[in-house]
């Protein structure tokens, strides 16, 4: 987290996931813009946050299809910071916003594509350590993101009469 001015915060974020069986991988990049309000007391502070993110994932399903998804998310919300000790705080985030994804699949030289969009609900719990007043590092071990855009219909690029649904969360 980098403070821009007195109350505006910029936080780049990055996360990766690799499945235990190796059939799915994903990466998430996010820029969080925030504004901190005046402290409620000496331990509590409220902020508004605007996470803007890009998520990309790939998976090989049981049918031999290589499926890729790339998406965009915008989930504005609120953050409550609780000071634990000097320079170390615990935060809780909650927000609601929108997601939009583009999907593609390949199997034996054939290609399908489709898209999906929906509502997103995000909640997270993390720690922030202020290295100096204008710079902090955070660790977010728990972040949950629920989406209503769970399915898409992929259509064959060469033949408009061939399509199949995909279900993803």
């Amino acid at each position: 987290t980098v403070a821009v001015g007195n109350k505006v915060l910029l936080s780049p974020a990055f996360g990766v996931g690799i499945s235990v069986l190796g059939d799915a991988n994903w990466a998430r990049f996010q820029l969080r813009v925030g504004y901190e309000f005046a402290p409620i007391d000496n331990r509590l502070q409220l902020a508004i946050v605007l996470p803007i993110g890009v998520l990309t994932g790939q998976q090989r399903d049981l049918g031999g299809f290589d499926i890729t998804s790339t998406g965009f998310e915008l989930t504005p919300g609120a953050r409550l910071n609780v000071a634990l000790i000097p320079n170390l705080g615990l935060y809780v985030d909650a927000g609601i916003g929108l997601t939009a994804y583009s999907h593609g699949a390949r199997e034996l030289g054939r290609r399908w594509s489709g898209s999906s969009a929906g509502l997103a609900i995000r909640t997270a719990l993390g720690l922030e350590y202020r290295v100096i007043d204008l710079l902090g590092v955070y660790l977010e071990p728990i972040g949950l993101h629920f989406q209503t855009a769970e399915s898409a219909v992929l259509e064959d690029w060469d033949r408009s009469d061939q399509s199949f649904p995909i279900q993803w969360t």
Side-chain angles (χ1 to χ4, degrees):
T1 303
V2 177
V4 179
N6 216 12
K7 298 288 182 182
V8 177
L9 306 173
L10 293 177
S11 303
F14 175 76
V16 296
I18 300 171
S19 69
V20 176
L21 300 176
D23 61 351
N25 304 304
W26 60 267
R28 175 188 225 144
F29 306 93
Q30 209 173 55
L31 177 63
R32 298 175 185 174
V33 180
Y35 178 83
E36 288 184 334
F37 294 101
I40 297 169
D41 64 21
N42 62 346
R43 295 192 63 202
L44 294 175
Q45 186 163 33
L46 188 62
I48 55 172
V49 291
L50 179 62
I52 303 165
V54 174
L55 178 75
T56 182
Q58 64 184 28
Q59 174 181 347
R60 177 176 287 267
D61 77 354
L62 296 176
F65 284 89
D66 290 318
I67 300 172
T68 60
S69 297
T70 303
F72 172 79
E73 61 188 23
L74 180 65
T75 51
R79 171 179 286 184
L80 179 64
N81 292 306
V82 179
L84 300 175
I85 58 174
N87 298 331
L88 182 65
L90 175 73
Y91 68 84
V92 177
D93 273 2
I96 188 166
L98 302 172
T99 61
Y101 286 88
S102 172
H103 309 283
R106 292 201 315 196
E107 184 243 0
L108 299 174
R110 299 178 71 192
R111 294 169 33 176
W112 288 265
S113 65
S115 62
S116 61
L119 206 58
I121 299 170
R122 180 181 185 283
T123 184
L125 177 69
L127 294 170
E128 182 176 17
Y129 177 72
R130 291 285 178 143
V131 179
I132 57 174
D133 281 344
L134 300 179
L135 179 65
V137 177
Y138 65 91
L139 175 64
E140 191 173 285
I142 300 173
L144 300 175
H145 190 135
F146 302 97
Q147 303 176 68
T148 61
E150 294 180 352
S151 64
V153 174
L154 302 187
E155 294 185 2
D156 192 320
W157 280 20
D158 298 325
R159 297 179 55 185
S160 61
D161 63 333
Q162 288 194 341
S163 63
F164 70 94
I166 61 169
Q167 191 73 21
W168 62 288
T169 56

